[in-house]
Amino acid sequence: MAIAYPHFIGSDKPIVVEPPLMASAAPPVILTQDELKKIAAYKAVEFVESGMVLGLGTGSTAKHAVSRIGELLQQGKLHNIVGIPTSKITHEQALSVGIPLSDLDAHPVLDLAIDGADEVDPFMNLVKGRGGSLLREKMVEGACKKFVVIVDESKLVKHLGGSGLAMPVEIVPFCWKFTAKRLELMFEKAGCVGKLRRFVGNGEPFVTDNGNYIVDLYFKRDIGDLRAASDAILRLAGVVEHGMFLDMATTLIVAGELGVTVKKKEVLGGRRNGQLVILTEIVGFLIASHSFMRKQNLYGLCVFTSPRANTV
């Protein structure tokens, strides 16, 4: 099982976050999902500092962060950045925008990673890998001191698998039907259905950057104890890795139509009665003009924060 960099020990209680603050009663502007992703990505890049070694995520949200980092490098606002890409696609994009690249062999500990997620539960556990890069993402993001996750509000769920969409499991091609069936039976009580991921059009199996297949698991009910589920999946011979990223995110940035919410997990003064202190931060913004926002490519105006500390 992949073990995350020891950021913290996960809580068994959800983080309570209030709705984003609003600066005025201005009528809301309807944003596209891609615009919300860009808002979250730009906010995440604010965590990047010159001299950092960065994990570069993969997907429709992470690509905005990669582009922004490249832009800041070209403008001279960032210097001496090294990127570790989580896929061949991200590798190509990073090179195209001028980000110097390396790998985990040269940099076994990273300062920061930025990536999207397919689902986020109230404990900041994630489902990732619907883009097919879960193994490299988990290797890179598990080696980071800080892992910033960027999503739009549609990715928030009550429990992992709650969207009814895929929870990916990367498997070896050898006897894939056998492995897929065992995964289905493992979560039979949750109404699990496993499907081999295939390319649209020719119907051929989707092949990861590592030469493996992906079985997508679909759940009708909550799978329960995520740690137990993770361990059980990884004990199956033929399984390479799964798409549950448990207790790995240190910061979550959620962009909604009316504002941005930032949640952070930090150890403040160590344990307190066997529990951790979780710092949450509310970030709001007022959108003054949709046309101005599009023209400037900067989606947050009048940004302000409201920090809160919760003992959980």
Side-chain angles (χ1 to χ4, degrees):
M1 176 179 178
I3 303 298
Y5 195 92
H7 314 300
F8 49 82
I9 301 172
S11 166
D12 61 354
K13 296 183 180 180
I15 303 167
V16 179
V17 179
E18 299 176 7
L21 302 175
M22 291 301 298
S24 75
V29 177
I30 298 176
L31 304 178
T32 68
Q33 187 178 37
D34 191 60
E35 287 168 340
L36 292 174
K37 292 176 179 180
K38 194 169 186 177
I39 293 170
Y42 274 45
K43 180 64 181 176
V45 175
E46 294 178 11
F47 289 85
V48 178
E49 300 176 1
S50 294
M52 280 187 167
V53 180
L54 302 175
L56 305 176
T58 297
S60 60
T61 306
K63 70 178 183 181
H64 292 303
V66 174
S67 295
R68 180 61 172 164
I69 293 167
E71 179 183 341
L72 294 175
L73 282 170
Q74 292 171 14
Q75 294 173 354
K77 296 178 180 178
L78 286 177
H79 307 276
N80 302 320
I81 293 294
V82 176
I84 313 294
T86 55
S87 67
K88 293 179 180 178
I89 291 176
T90 300
H91 184 279
E92 293 172 0
Q93 183 198 4
L95 288 178
S96 72
V97 298
I99 301 176
L101 299 180
S102 187
D103 57 32
L104 291 175
D105 292 333
H107 299 278
V109 177
L110 284 65
D111 296 298
L112 175 73
I114 299 174
D115 205 354
D118 301 307
E119 291 184 0
V120 184
D121 75 4
F123 307 96
M124 290 170 60
N125 295 312
L126 319 171
V127 167
K128 291 178 48 58
R130 290 178 189 158
S133 302
L134 61 141
L135 175 59
R136 297 191 187 192
E137 288 173 338
K138 191 170 284 190
M139 290 177 67
V140 171
E141 290 150 11
C144 293
K145 296 176 183 177
K146 294 182 180 181
F147 177 24
V148 179
V149 177
I150 47 179
V151 297
D152 66 89
E153 58 190 354
S154 71
K155 304 301 174 64
L156 303 180
V157 295
K158 293 181 179 179
H159 57 83
L160 295 193
S163 69
L165 301 176
M167 197 280 280
V169 180
E170 187 163 343
I171 66 171
V172 298
F174 176 72
C175 294
W176 68 263
K177 292 181 181 178
F178 171 78
T179 305
K181 187 62 178 177
R182 294 187 73 187
L183 287 167
E184 276 191 348
L185 292 174
M186 180 180 294
F187 298 105
E188 188 175 13
K189 292 183 179 179
C192 178
V193 175
K195 297 181 180 179
L196 182 71
R197 187 177 300 184
R198 297 181 182 274
F199 287 107
V200 177
N202 62 17
E204 292 295 315
F206 174 88
V207 180
T208 70
D209 287 346
N210 315 298
N212 297 316
Y213 288 174
I214 287 181
V215 171
D216 289 320
L217 303 182
Y218 299 86
F219 303 103
K220 295 180 181 178
R221 292 175 288 278
D222 190 344
I223 63 175
D225 187 327
L226 298 179
R227 286 286 181 190
S230 170
D231 292 344
I233 292 172
L234 294 174
R235 281 197 299 267
L236 281 182
V239 167
V240 178
E241 189 54 87
H242 59 70
M244 290 186 290
F245 286 51
L246 308 180
D247 286 337
M248 291 181 65
T250 56
T251 300
L252 173 66
I253 299 176
V254 184
E257 291 186 355
L258 300 180
V260 176
T261 300
V262 179
K263 300 196 292 186
K264 299 179 182 179
K265 287 185 177 181
E266 296 183 2
V267 180
L268 301 179
R271 292 176 178 268
R272 184 185 300 174
N273 298 324
Q275 297 179 318
L276 295 178
V277 174
I278 304 297
L279 177 68
T280 67
E281 182 181 11
I282 313 302
V283 179
F285 63 87
L286 169 64
I287 300 175
S289 167
H290 194 34
S291 60
F292 175 83
M293 175 195 70
R294 291 177 184 270
K295 181 179 179 181
Q296 299 297 321
N297 282 327
L298 297 173
Y299 293 83
L301 305 178
C302 306
V303 177
F304 50 89
T305 64
S306 174
R308 288 172 172 78
N310 301 318
T311 303
V312 298

